[in-house]
């Protein structure tokens, strides 16, 4: 898939680029063709929750124009996720053929357009019934339910895509939803979050076994997110703390998978860490055919004895400002996101050196422009800081590939369209603007900028997004 990416040496480099998306954030049509509710739909119905995902980008109906738009941009890859409750409305019971038919149509249409999909089974939208019946990912019962869902999908759709992933950003959905009390679950329970994290490893390992049997020649992984941890000062203690932070955030999943156990730094500090049994280590071994990385930004890390993080005792703290109070990078719209292109090369090297993956695919990266939602359309379309994100981040990855020989083979931009961010439409990451009232999409300047990177002959083109009928 990404073969031609290797050996690239021009600037800007001919990266194999695509766009990433997720079901709940794009599709809408929540009650259409037999889809069951997910935990987000339940949260959205609570008083005062904010926007709902009921319509989103209406990708469920409008995907043909979005595929046509990607063709115009010269895009060859598209990452999407499947809504579990479209396939099995109550999570673990009868299969909904109409749900499978939708994804079959979508995957066929992508391939007919020359766009290779990368399909994720789970981007956070748990069927509500599984949370109500047994507590979702916090319970062992999630493992057979997920494996059953995966088997149904692989058998029905396995021949329609080569590239797959099991779950997206498990550290986030486990710890934000089960420990940090965030929407959609509002649970504050570190034990449940750790059970979730352990059950993710078990479910992933078992689903990959199913995958090997059902999709010969397919490539599967997990999409892991991490910030780059930059030592706050030159002290050894801060350097160690930054290393530890990387081990916690990526190592929680990647170490058991690639090394058969949790990092020693976590084992020393977290007394209630689950045990990776020899059988689980064996099953996890080789279960990531490529390393899926979602990378956006960096944080400063300082040693701080006795400090506790969201994941448990950790002896470090993080911040977005240095000792003089300077921000680590210019601001995006999302408060967690700062402009840190210099962090891209070291994180790719860190992964390459620690895990020696055959391929690293950046499965998400992107930028939301500060204040964009409140701007008049013409101003929103002139999204220079988003183009600058690609202009400055991509050469860092190119150096990692060309100079450091990091085997990065793909780069997926979040996202083609502005979309629903779990409770809000105000957070806009698209290279195409969406007018949510009429669903019309309009390319922003950054879409043209990316098209020029995909294909230098398109550098100064001005393209028009296909119209919504
Ligand atoms: C998530 C996406 C989200 C994006 C931008 C990522 O961490 O996977 O679902 O929309 O961040 O906030």
């Amino acid at each position: 898939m990404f073969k031609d990416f290797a050996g690239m040496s021009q600037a800007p480099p001919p990266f194999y680029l695509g766009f990433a998306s997720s079901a709940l954030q794009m599709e809408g049509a929540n009650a259409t063709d037999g889809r069951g509710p997910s935990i987000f739909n339940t949260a959205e119905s609570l008083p005062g929750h904010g926007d709902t995902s009921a319509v989103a980008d209406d990708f469920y109906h409008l995907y043909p124009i979005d595929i046509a738009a990607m063709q115009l941009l010269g895009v060859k890859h598209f990452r999407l996720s499947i809504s579990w409750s479209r396939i099995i409305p109550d999570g673990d019971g009868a299969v909904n053929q109409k749900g499978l038919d939708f994804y079959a149509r979508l995957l066929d249409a992508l391939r007919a357009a020359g766009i290779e999909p990368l399909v994720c089974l789970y981007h956070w939208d748990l069927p509500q019934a599984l949370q109500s019946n047994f507590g979702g990912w916090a319970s062992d019962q999630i493992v057979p339910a997920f494996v059953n869902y995966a088997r149904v999908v692989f058998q029905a759709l396995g021949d329609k895509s080569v590239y797959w992933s099991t779950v997206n950003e498990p550290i986030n959905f486990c710890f934000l939803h089960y420990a940090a009390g965030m929407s959609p679950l509002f649970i504050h329970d570190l034990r449940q979050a750790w059970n979730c994290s352990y059950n993710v490893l078990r479910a992933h390992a078992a689903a990959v076994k199913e995958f090997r049997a059902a999709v010969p020649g397919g490539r599967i992984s997990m999409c892991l997110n991490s910030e780059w941890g930059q030592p706050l000062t030159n002290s050894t203690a801060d350097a160690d703390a930054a290393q530890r932070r990387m081990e916690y955030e990526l190592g929680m999943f990647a170490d058991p998978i690639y090394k058969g156990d949790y990092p020693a730094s976590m084992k020393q500090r977290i007394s209630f860490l689950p045990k990776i049994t020899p059988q689980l280590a064996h099953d996890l071994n080789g279960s990531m055919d490529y390393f899926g990385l979602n990378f956006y930004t960096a944080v400063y890390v300082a040693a701080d004895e006795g400090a506790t993080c969201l994941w448990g005792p950790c002896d470090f703290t993080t911040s977005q400002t240095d000792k003089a109070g300077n921000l680590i990078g210019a601001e995006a719209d999302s408060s967690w996101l700062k402009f840190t292109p210099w962090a891209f090369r070291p994180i790719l090297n860190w992964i390459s050196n620690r895990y020696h993956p055959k391929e690293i695919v950046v499965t998400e990266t992107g930028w939301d422009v500060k204040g964009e939602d409140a701007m008049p359309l013409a101003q929103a379309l002139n999204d220079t800081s988003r183009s600058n994100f690609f202009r400055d981040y991509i050469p860092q990855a190119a150096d990692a590939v060309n100079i450091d020989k990091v085997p990065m083979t793909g780069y997926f931009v979040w996202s083609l369209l502005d979309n629903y961010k779990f409770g809000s439409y105000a957070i806009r990451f698209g290279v195409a603007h969406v007018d949510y009232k009429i669903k019309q999409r309009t390319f922003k300047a950054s879409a043209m900028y990316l098209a020029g990177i995909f294909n230098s002959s398109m550098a100064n083109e001005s393209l028009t997004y296909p119209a919504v009928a």
Side-chain angles (χ1 to χ4, degrees), residues 22 25 79 123-124 168-169 172 225 294 296 334 336 364 414 419-422 427 429:
S22 84
Q25 296 178 267
R79 175 175 169 235
H123 198 119
W124 304 16
N168 180 67
E169 300 190 354
N172 275 348
N225 60 292
N294 292 2
Y296 291 80
S334 295
W336 55 268
E364 267 182 46
W414 184 275
N419 58 47
Y420 180 66
K421 178 69 198 268
F422 310 119
I427 298 160
F429 270 85

PDB file of all heavy atoms in Angstrom, residues 22 25 79 123-124 168-169 172 225 294 296 334 336 364 414 419-422 427 429, ligand 1:
ATOM      1  N   SER A  22     -13.971   9.039  11.512  1.00  0.00           N
ATOM      2  CA  SER A  22     -14.580   7.982  12.321  1.00  0.00           C
ATOM      3  C   SER A  22     -16.084   8.001  12.125  1.00  0.00           C
ATOM      4  O   SER A  22     -16.662   9.031  11.758  1.00  0.00           O
ATOM      5  CB  SER A  22     -14.227   8.147  13.803  1.00  0.00           C
ATOM      6  OG  SER A  22     -15.112   9.053  14.422  1.00  0.00           O
ATOM      7  N   GLN A  25     -18.398  10.460  14.153  1.00  0.00           N
ATOM      8  CA  GLN A  25     -18.112  11.871  13.899  1.00  0.00           C
ATOM      9  C   GLN A  25     -18.545  12.334  12.511  1.00  0.00           C
ATOM     10  O   GLN A  25     -18.635  13.520  12.249  1.00  0.00           O
ATOM     11  CB  GLN A  25     -16.619  12.125  14.123  1.00  0.00           C
ATOM     12  CG  GLN A  25     -16.219  11.895  15.578  1.00  0.00           C
ATOM     13  CD  GLN A  25     -14.729  12.088  15.813  1.00  0.00           C
ATOM     14  OE1 GLN A  25     -13.961  11.157  15.757  1.00  0.00           O
ATOM     15  NE2 GLN A  25     -14.318  13.312  16.068  1.00  0.00           N
ATOM     16  N   ARG A  79      -8.978   6.495   5.864  1.00  0.00           N
ATOM     17  CA  ARG A  79      -9.181   5.725   7.093  1.00  0.00           C
ATOM     18  C   ARG A  79     -10.578   6.022   7.637  1.00  0.00           C
ATOM     19  O   ARG A  79     -10.961   7.187   7.763  1.00  0.00           O
ATOM     20  CB  ARG A  79      -8.107   6.105   8.126  1.00  0.00           C
ATOM     21  CG  ARG A  79      -8.310   5.448   9.453  1.00  0.00           C
ATOM     22  CD  ARG A  79      -7.172   5.734  10.446  1.00  0.00           C
ATOM     23  NE  ARG A  79      -7.604   5.265  11.743  1.00  0.00           N
ATOM     24  CZ  ARG A  79      -7.645   6.004  12.851  1.00  0.00           C
ATOM     25  NH1 ARG A  79      -7.195   7.242  12.851  1.00  0.00           N
ATOM     26  NH2 ARG A  79      -8.101   5.501  13.973  1.00  0.00           N
ATOM     27  N   HIS A 123     -13.880   3.066  17.144  1.00  0.00           N
ATOM     28  CA  HIS A 123     -13.441   4.441  17.437  1.00  0.00           C
ATOM     29  C   HIS A 123     -14.404   4.996  18.495  1.00  0.00           C
ATOM     30  O   HIS A 123     -15.170   5.921  18.244  1.00  0.00           O
ATOM     31  CB  HIS A 123     -13.440   5.274  16.153  1.00  0.00           C
ATOM     32  CG  HIS A 123     -12.633   6.535  16.223  1.00  0.00           C
ATOM     33  ND1 HIS A 123     -11.560   6.780  15.399  1.00  0.00           N
ATOM     34  CD2 HIS A 123     -12.741   7.639  17.013  1.00  0.00           C
ATOM     35  CE1 HIS A 123     -11.046   7.979  15.671  1.00  0.00           C
ATOM     36  NE2 HIS A 123     -11.753   8.526  16.645  1.00  0.00           N
ATOM     37  N   TRP A 124     -14.431   4.321  19.661  1.00  0.00           N
ATOM     38  CA  TRP A 124     -15.053   4.832  20.885  1.00  0.00           C
ATOM     39  C   TRP A 124     -16.569   4.653  21.022  1.00  0.00           C
ATOM     40  O   TRP A 124     -17.125   4.915  22.084  1.00  0.00           O
ATOM     41  CB  TRP A 124     -14.765   6.324  21.083  1.00  0.00           C
ATOM     42  CG  TRP A 124     -13.318   6.712  21.107  1.00  0.00           C
ATOM     43  CD1 TRP A 124     -12.248   5.972  20.679  1.00  0.00           C
ATOM     44  CD2 TRP A 124     -12.769   7.930  21.594  1.00  0.00           C
ATOM     45  NE1 TRP A 124     -11.082   6.667  20.868  1.00  0.00           N
ATOM     46  CE2 TRP A 124     -11.370   7.880  21.414  1.00  0.00           C
ATOM     47  CE3 TRP A 124     -13.338   9.071  22.156  1.00  0.00           C
ATOM     48  CZ2 TRP A 124     -10.527   8.930  21.796  1.00  0.00           C
ATOM     49  CZ3 TRP A 124     -12.501  10.109  22.518  1.00  0.00           C
ATOM     50  CH2 TRP A 124     -11.103  10.031  22.335  1.00  0.00           C
ATOM     51  N   ASN A 168      -9.063   2.443  18.288  1.00  0.00           N
ATOM     52  CA  ASN A 168      -8.428   3.757  18.176  1.00  0.00           C
ATOM     53  C   ASN A 168      -8.222   4.371  19.554  1.00  0.00           C
ATOM     54  O   ASN A 168      -9.167   4.474  20.334  1.00  0.00           O
ATOM     55  CB  ASN A 168      -9.327   4.694  17.357  1.00  0.00           C
ATOM     56  CG  ASN A 168      -8.723   6.079  17.210  1.00  0.00           C
ATOM     57  OD1 ASN A 168      -7.700   6.239  16.550  1.00  0.00           O
ATOM     58  ND2 ASN A 168      -9.328   7.071  17.860  1.00  0.00           N
ATOM     59  N   GLU A 169      -6.990   4.761  19.843  1.00  0.00           N
ATOM     60  CA  GLU A 169      -6.654   5.505  21.055  1.00  0.00           C
ATOM     61  C   GLU A 169      -7.242   4.888  22.319  1.00  0.00           C
ATOM     62  O   GLU A 169      -7.998   5.533  23.065  1.00  0.00           O
ATOM     63  CB  GLU A 169      -7.114   6.968  20.933  1.00  0.00           C
ATOM     64  CG  GLU A 169      -6.471   7.685  19.768  1.00  0.00           C
ATOM     65  CD  GLU A 169      -6.726   9.188  19.755  1.00  0.00           C
ATOM     66  OE1 GLU A 169      -7.496   9.671  20.602  1.00  0.00           O
ATOM     67  OE2 GLU A 169      -6.143   9.880  18.907  1.00  0.00           O
ATOM     68  N   ASN A 172      -7.108   6.752  25.663  1.00  0.00           N
ATOM     69  CA  ASN A 172      -8.096   7.817  25.827  1.00  0.00           C
ATOM     70  C   ASN A 172      -9.467   7.268  26.179  1.00  0.00           C
ATOM     71  O   ASN A 172     -10.099   7.723  27.125  1.00  0.00           O
ATOM     72  CB  ASN A 172      -8.181   8.665  24.556  1.00  0.00           C
ATOM     73  CG  ASN A 172      -7.127   9.758  24.557  1.00  0.00           C
ATOM     74  OD1 ASN A 172      -6.501  10.012  25.582  1.00  0.00           O
ATOM     75  ND2 ASN A 172      -6.916  10.385  23.425  1.00  0.00           N
ATOM     76  N   ASN A 225      -2.238   6.695  20.472  1.00  0.00           N
ATOM     77  CA  ASN A 225      -1.953   8.130  20.456  1.00  0.00           C
ATOM     78  C   ASN A 225      -0.888   8.457  21.482  1.00  0.00           C
ATOM     79  O   ASN A 225      -0.799   7.818  22.530  1.00  0.00           O
ATOM     80  CB  ASN A 225      -3.216   8.922  20.775  1.00  0.00           C
ATOM     81  CG  ASN A 225      -3.770   8.580  22.144  1.00  0.00           C
ATOM     82  OD1 ASN A 225      -4.257   7.463  22.353  1.00  0.00           O
ATOM     83  ND2 ASN A 225      -3.691   9.509  23.074  1.00  0.00           N
ATOM     84  N   ASN A 294      -1.246   8.028  16.290  1.00  0.00           N
ATOM     85  CA  ASN A 294      -1.947   9.305  16.177  1.00  0.00           C
ATOM     86  C   ASN A 294      -1.096  10.348  16.879  1.00  0.00           C
ATOM     87  O   ASN A 294      -0.903  10.294  18.092  1.00  0.00           O
ATOM     88  CB  ASN A 294      -3.318   9.246  16.863  1.00  0.00           C
ATOM     89  CG  ASN A 294      -4.297   8.335  16.136  1.00  0.00           C
ATOM     90  OD1 ASN A 294      -3.946   7.709  15.132  1.00  0.00           O
ATOM     91  ND2 ASN A 294      -5.512   8.244  16.640  1.00  0.00           N
ATOM     92  N   TYR A 296      -0.134  14.531  17.321  1.00  0.00           N
ATOM     93  CA  TYR A 296      -0.506  15.922  17.080  1.00  0.00           C
ATOM     94  C   TYR A 296       0.458  16.932  17.714  1.00  0.00           C
ATOM     95  O   TYR A 296       0.713  17.977  17.143  1.00  0.00           O
ATOM     96  CB  TYR A 296      -1.909  16.210  17.655  1.00  0.00           C
ATOM     97  CG  TYR A 296      -3.065  15.536  16.951  1.00  0.00           C
ATOM     98  CD1 TYR A 296      -3.388  14.199  17.183  1.00  0.00           C
ATOM     99  CD2 TYR A 296      -3.870  16.246  16.069  1.00  0.00           C
ATOM    100  CE1 TYR A 296      -4.469  13.592  16.557  1.00  0.00           C
ATOM    101  CE2 TYR A 296      -4.959  15.649  15.437  1.00  0.00           C
ATOM    102  CZ  TYR A 296      -5.254  14.329  15.681  1.00  0.00           C
ATOM    103  OH  TYR A 296      -6.321  13.732  15.051  1.00  0.00           O
ATOM    104  N   SER A 334      -8.137  23.799  19.931  1.00  0.00           N
ATOM    105  CA  SER A 334      -8.203  22.863  21.057  1.00  0.00           C
ATOM    106  C   SER A 334      -7.074  23.177  22.025  1.00  0.00           C
ATOM    107  O   SER A 334      -5.914  23.321  21.608  1.00  0.00           O
ATOM    108  CB  SER A 334      -8.052  21.419  20.566  1.00  0.00           C
ATOM    109  OG  SER A 334      -9.146  21.060  19.757  1.00  0.00           O
ATOM    110  N   TRP A 336      -5.501  21.402  24.098  1.00  0.00           N
ATOM    111  CA  TRP A 336      -4.437  20.391  24.239  1.00  0.00           C
ATOM    112  C   TRP A 336      -3.438  20.436  23.081  1.00  0.00           C
ATOM    113  O   TRP A 336      -2.388  19.792  23.138  1.00  0.00           O
ATOM    114  CB  TRP A 336      -5.040  18.983  24.342  1.00  0.00           C
ATOM    115  CG  TRP A 336      -5.966  18.634  23.196  1.00  0.00           C
ATOM    116  CD1 TRP A 336      -7.321  18.816  23.161  1.00  0.00           C
ATOM    117  CD2 TRP A 336      -5.605  18.071  21.922  1.00  0.00           C
ATOM    118  NE1 TRP A 336      -7.830  18.414  21.950  1.00  0.00           N
ATOM    119  CE2 TRP A 336      -6.803  17.945  21.166  1.00  0.00           C
ATOM    120  CE3 TRP A 336      -4.404  17.664  21.342  1.00  0.00           C
ATOM    121  CZ2 TRP A 336      -6.825  17.433  19.858  1.00  0.00           C
ATOM    122  CZ3 TRP A 336      -4.433  17.151  20.041  1.00  0.00           C
ATOM    123  CH2 TRP A 336      -5.628  17.044  19.325  1.00  0.00           C
ATOM    124  N   GLU A 364      -3.293   9.381  12.304  1.00  0.00           N
ATOM    125  CA  GLU A 364      -3.994  10.668  12.489  1.00  0.00           C
ATOM    126  C   GLU A 364      -2.996  11.753  12.785  1.00  0.00           C
ATOM    127  O   GLU A 364      -2.069  11.559  13.581  1.00  0.00           O
ATOM    128  CB  GLU A 364      -4.928  10.632  13.705  1.00  0.00           C
ATOM    129  CG  GLU A 364      -6.326  10.264  13.432  1.00  0.00           C
ATOM    130  CD  GLU A 364      -7.177  10.312  14.705  1.00  0.00           C
ATOM    131  OE1 GLU A 364      -7.078  11.298  15.457  1.00  0.00           O
ATOM    132  OE2 GLU A 364      -7.928   9.353  14.909  1.00  0.00           O
ATOM    133  N   TRP A 414      -6.163  14.151   9.820  1.00  0.00           N
ATOM    134  CA  TRP A 414      -7.462  14.337  10.470  1.00  0.00           C
ATOM    135  C   TRP A 414      -7.860  15.794  10.252  1.00  0.00           C
ATOM    136  O   TRP A 414      -7.232  16.659  10.854  1.00  0.00           O
ATOM    137  CB  TRP A 414      -7.372  14.023  11.968  1.00  0.00           C
ATOM    138  CG  TRP A 414      -8.723  14.112  12.608  1.00  0.00           C
ATOM    139  CD1 TRP A 414      -9.345  15.217  13.095  1.00  0.00           C
ATOM    140  CD2 TRP A 414      -9.627  13.013  12.775  1.00  0.00           C
ATOM    141  NE1 TRP A 414     -10.581  14.894  13.552  1.00  0.00           N
ATOM    142  CE2 TRP A 414     -10.786  13.558  13.377  1.00  0.00           C
ATOM    143  CE3 TRP A 414      -9.593  11.647  12.472  1.00  0.00           C
ATOM    144  CZ2 TRP A 414     -11.890  12.768  13.677  1.00  0.00           C
ATOM    145  CZ3 TRP A 414     -10.689  10.882  12.791  1.00  0.00           C
ATOM    146  CH2 TRP A 414     -11.824  11.448  13.386  1.00  0.00           C
ATOM    147  N   ASN A 419     -16.039  17.970  11.465  1.00  0.00           N
ATOM    148  CA  ASN A 419     -16.943  16.910  11.911  1.00  0.00           C
ATOM    149  C   ASN A 419     -17.304  17.049  13.383  1.00  0.00           C
ATOM    150  O   ASN A 419     -16.893  17.997  14.044  1.00  0.00           O
ATOM    151  CB  ASN A 419     -16.353  15.529  11.577  1.00  0.00           C
ATOM    152  CG  ASN A 419     -14.990  15.322  12.206  1.00  0.00           C
ATOM    153  OD1 ASN A 419     -14.794  15.590  13.385  1.00  0.00           O
ATOM    154  ND2 ASN A 419     -14.026  14.859  11.399  1.00  0.00           N
ATOM    155  N   TYR A 420     -18.051  16.091  13.863  1.00  0.00           N
ATOM    156  CA  TYR A 420     -18.602  16.125  15.221  1.00  0.00           C
ATOM    157  C   TYR A 420     -17.541  15.687  16.213  1.00  0.00           C
ATOM    158  O   TYR A 420     -16.982  14.603  16.080  1.00  0.00           O
ATOM    159  CB  TYR A 420     -19.789  15.160  15.264  1.00  0.00           C
ATOM    160  CG  TYR A 420     -20.486  15.052  16.593  1.00  0.00           C
ATOM    161  CD1 TYR A 420     -21.179  16.147  17.108  1.00  0.00           C
ATOM    162  CD2 TYR A 420     -20.468  13.864  17.317  1.00  0.00           C
ATOM    163  CE1 TYR A 420     -21.833  16.043  18.323  1.00  0.00           C
ATOM    164  CE2 TYR A 420     -21.134  13.761  18.531  1.00  0.00           C
ATOM    165  CZ  TYR A 420     -21.811  14.853  19.028  1.00  0.00           C
ATOM    166  OH  TYR A 420     -22.462  14.748  20.220  1.00  0.00           O
ATOM    167  N   LYS A 421     -17.229  16.537  17.180  1.00  0.00           N
ATOM    168  CA  LYS A 421     -16.217  16.152  18.168  1.00  0.00           C
ATOM    169  C   LYS A 421     -16.923  15.817  19.476  1.00  0.00           C
ATOM    170  O   LYS A 421     -16.930  16.579  20.407  1.00  0.00           O
ATOM    171  CB  LYS A 421     -15.192  17.270  18.338  1.00  0.00           C
ATOM    172  CG  LYS A 421     -14.095  17.013  19.380  1.00  0.00           C
ATOM    173  CD  LYS A 421     -13.121  15.929  18.994  1.00  0.00           C
ATOM    174  CE  LYS A 421     -12.335  15.381  20.145  1.00  0.00           C
ATOM    175  NZ  LYS A 421     -11.085  15.952  20.448  1.00  0.00           N
ATOM    176  N   PHE A 422     -17.516  14.649  19.537  1.00  0.00           N
ATOM    177  CA  PHE A 422     -18.071  14.099  20.764  1.00  0.00           C
ATOM    178  C   PHE A 422     -18.741  15.166  21.639  1.00  0.00           C
ATOM    179  O   PHE A 422     -18.323  15.408  22.772  1.00  0.00           O
ATOM    180  CB  PHE A 422     -16.987  13.337  21.534  1.00  0.00           C
ATOM    181  CG  PHE A 422     -16.241  12.348  20.657  1.00  0.00           C
ATOM    182  CD1 PHE A 422     -14.887  12.453  20.442  1.00  0.00           C
ATOM    183  CD2 PHE A 422     -16.928  11.324  20.020  1.00  0.00           C
ATOM    184  CE1 PHE A 422     -14.210  11.547  19.621  1.00  0.00           C
ATOM    185  CE2 PHE A 422     -16.260  10.416  19.196  1.00  0.00           C
ATOM    186  CZ  PHE A 422     -14.910  10.528  18.999  1.00  0.00           C
ATOM    187  N   ILE A 427     -15.548  22.482  16.973  1.00  0.00           N
ATOM    188  CA  ILE A 427     -14.123  22.144  16.830  1.00  0.00           C
ATOM    189  C   ILE A 427     -13.904  21.662  15.400  1.00  0.00           C
ATOM    190  O   ILE A 427     -14.364  20.591  15.010  1.00  0.00           O
ATOM    191  CB  ILE A 427     -13.751  21.063  17.866  1.00  0.00           C
ATOM    192  CG1 ILE A 427     -13.969  21.616  19.269  1.00  0.00           C
ATOM    193  CG2 ILE A 427     -12.316  20.585  17.660  1.00  0.00           C
ATOM    194  CD1 ILE A 427     -14.111  20.572  20.332  1.00  0.00           C
ATOM    195  N   PHE A 429     -11.613  20.514  12.380  1.00  0.00           N
ATOM    196  CA  PHE A 429     -10.312  19.986  11.954  1.00  0.00           C
ATOM    197  C   PHE A 429     -10.257  19.743  10.447  1.00  0.00           C
ATOM    198  O   PHE A 429      -9.251  19.260   9.938  1.00  0.00           O
ATOM    199  CB  PHE A 429     -10.020  18.653  12.666  1.00  0.00           C
ATOM    200  CG  PHE A 429      -9.280  18.781  13.976  1.00  0.00           C
ATOM    201  CD1 PHE A 429      -9.964  19.016  15.159  1.00  0.00           C
ATOM    202  CD2 PHE A 429      -7.899  18.664  14.035  1.00  0.00           C
ATOM    203  CE1 PHE A 429      -9.288  19.128  16.377  1.00  0.00           C
ATOM    204  CE2 PHE A 429      -7.206  18.779  15.236  1.00  0.00           C
ATOM    205  CZ  PHE A 429      -7.909  19.012  16.408  1.00  0.00           C
TER     206      PHE A 429
HETATM  207  C1  LIG B   1      -9.411  11.473  17.869  1.00  0.00           C
HETATM  208  C2  LIG B   1     -10.442  12.035  16.931  1.00  0.00           C
HETATM  209  C3  LIG B   1     -10.619  13.516  17.207  1.00  0.00           C
HETATM  210  C4  LIG B   1      -9.284  14.184  16.960  1.00  0.00           C
HETATM  211  C5  LIG B   1      -9.311  15.688  17.013  1.00  0.00           C
HETATM  212  C6  LIG B   1      -8.180  12.360  17.962  1.00  0.00           C
HETATM  213  O1  LIG B   1      -7.476  12.139  19.112  1.00  0.00           O
HETATM  214  O2  LIG B   1      -9.081  10.170  17.476  1.00  0.00           O
HETATM  215  O3  LIG B   1     -11.611  11.307  17.116  1.00  0.00           O
HETATM  216  O4  LIG B   1     -11.645  14.116  16.507  1.00  0.00           O
HETATM  217  O5  LIG B   1      -8.408  13.719  17.955  1.00  0.00           O
HETATM  218  O6  LIG B   1      -9.648  16.186  18.265  1.00  0.00           O
END
